[in-house]
Every structure is written in C-alpha cells, then in structure tokens.
Amino acid sequence: MTEPDEPRWLNAEEFAAWLPLISTTVWLPAALDAQLQRDAGMTLVEYSVLSWLSMSSGRTARMSEIAARANVNLSHLSRIAARLEKRGWMRRSPDPQDGRATLAVLTEQGWDKVVATAPGHAAEVQRLVFDNLSTADVSHLRRITERILHTAKPDLCLPELPTAPSALATTRAHRSRAGEAPGDTHKTA
C-alpha cells in the first residue's frame, strides 16, 4: 500500500509500454515532417492545417477550431496561416456570423496541394505505422489511442470519417465527372 502523498509510480509493465509510446510521439511526427518537407515543401503542422481544412464543411473552419485540432496556439497558427496564404493555399476572412472570429478557407490551389501531397503522406504513414500491424493490431491501436486521446483532450472533436478509404485524387476526379463543385463534400486527407 502506498502513502497518500507518494507518487503513483509506473509498474514494470506500464513503464515497458510507456517508453515506446512516448518515443513514438517524438519520432513519428519527426519522420512524417521530414517526408513532407522533402516531397511537398511543407511541414507536418502546415499539412495538418490544410488537411483539417480539406475535411471541414465547405473547406472552411474558424481559426480557433483549426488551432485546437492542430494543437497550436492562435498566434502560432497565425504565423502558419501567413505562410500558407503567401503560397496561395489558404486565405483568412472575417466570420460573417461573428465578426470577432476569423475563418480559414482552403483555396482551390490549396486543395490541389493537399490532393497532390496526400498519396505520398499516406504511403509514409502506411510504411511507418501500418505495414507491420495486423488487422487486429490496427483495431487495438484505434481503441487504445481513442481512450488516451479522450482522456488527454476530451473536448477534441475529430471529423466524421468515411466508412471506406478513398483517395482525394479519385474523389476529386469523381466529383468533376459528376459535375459537383470540389467543396460539395469532404473527405479525409
């Protein structure tokens, strides 16, 4: 039995699980960032912002929502947004519903960049994460990470995911053939 003021130390099994988990939170983003910088000329956080916008209704979201999803403060997001605007990938505008809020809008050029970048990013995620996992492992990983995320960030609302995977490029081509505007529906990036 532990004293009330004694720290809740990890047991050996917890510690053995903790080390690879915390190492993953450091090295996986670094590896994904390196791939995106090499292949797409953008950082992981820049891609995350564009990706979140691509999954938002009308490819538009409040800056505060994007900041929460990308886990950056508003001043950092403002600097990221300035870089993305300079490249023509997004724009900011006042929210017509609330003049105090600012909307981030994915431009057509930004959509094209996400579509072009997504296959290489997805391939790197497959290589780094899923290639060595069984279907059961993936299911366990989802449950485990959802539980951890729910405890660490209970107010985070992840976008609704499609039931089957789809490539953005295929989705865009399909919409063009169907005569739909590119922003009519949202898909994962």
Side-chain angles (χ1 to χ4, degrees), residues 72-169:
V72 296
N73 63 42
L74 281 171
S75 63
H76 186 194
L77 179 59
S78 184
R79 291 188 299 276
I80 294 165
R83 290 194 306 266
L84 296 174
E85 283 178 314
K86 189 174 182 179
R87 295 174 183 167
W89 296 339
M90 70 163 277
R91 63 181 168 77
R92 290 177 277 186
S93 63
D95 185 341
Q97 307 295 326
D98 179 357
R100 299 169 297 169
T102 301
L103 296 177
V105 180
L106 185 67
T107 64
E108 192 62 32
Q109 190 177 357
W111 171 258
D112 291 342
K113 185 64 175 178
V114 172
V115 169
T117 303
H121 179 64
E124 189 71 348
V125 169
Q126 284 287 348
R127 184 182 76 78
L128 294 171
V129 179
F130 297 106
D131 282 354
N132 294 310
L133 300 180
S134 69
T135 302
D137 290 338
V138 172
S139 183
H140 294 308
L141 178 64
R142 179 179 179 179
R143 277 194 305 278
I144 291 165
T145 54
E146 283 176 346
R147 286 179 186 169
I148 293 170
L149 187 56
H150 179 71
T151 303
K153 186 71 174 157
D155 59 337
L156 180 65
C157 291
L158 295 174
E160 188 175 317
L161 301 175
T163 55
S166 61
L168 284 175

Side-chain angles (χ1 to χ4, degrees), residues 11-81:
N11 65 35
E13 191 171 337
E14 290 167 338
F15 189 70
W18 172 247
L19 282 179
L21 174 62
I22 195 64
S23 297
T24 299
T25 67
V26 171
W27 295 108
L28 181 59
L32 293 172
D33 190 75
Q35 179 271 321
L36 285 165
Q37 287 189 47
R38 180 188 66 238
D39 297 345
M42 73 173 78
T43 65
L44 179 58
V45 72
E46 290 169 341
Y47 180 76
S48 296
V49 169
L50 295 178
S51 180
W52 284 118
L53 282 173
S54 78
M55 292 184 276
S56 298
S57 178
R59 296 190 209 147
T60 301
R62 283 186 170 192
M63 290 284 285
S64 57
E65 289 176 33
I66 297 299
R69 288 180 174 177
N71 192 28
V72 296
N73 63 42
L74 281 171
S75 63
H76 186 194
L77 179 59
S78 184
R79 291 188 299 276
I80 294 165

